[in-house]
Amino acid sequence: MSLTLTELDPGSWVIFELPGFNTAASGTATDSLDALRKADATSYFKGNGSLWVKVVSVSGGGRGGGASIQVSR
């Protein structure tokens, strides 16, 4: 599954909890949910039966930045 964000201010972010998902195709692995919250780039944490993904918007064309990440079960 692909998670894509558009039209966000650069540096803005969103954290998703994805129960049953196991892997992210990109981003940086973190050791804890707290470390994920503190990350300043797109990152992920696997724990408690869920994949937690923090998607951070980067500068791009148009009114805002965008970011995407692929995750899988």
Side-chain angles (χ1 to χ4, degrees):
M1 173 171 74
S2 178
L3 300 173
T4 303
L5 302 176
T6 59
E7 300 300 323
L8 291 177
D9 292 334
S12 297
W13 52 268
V14 177
I15 292 180
F16 296 96
E17 178 185 8
L18 304 168
F21 281 77
N22 295 307
T23 60
S26 61
T28 303
T30 60
D31 295 336
S32 67
L33 194 51
D34 187 52
L36 181 69
R37 288 185 188 107
K38 293 176 182 176
D40 58 3
T42 296
S43 305
Y44 61 92
F45 168 69
K46 174 71 175 136
N48 301 326
S50 292
L51 181 67
W52 297 78
V53 177
K54 180 175 184 178
V55 182
V56 179
S57 177
V58 294
S59 61
R63 296 178 10 204
S68 64
I69 188 169
Q70 291 278 341
V71 296
S72 60
R73 292 189 181 264

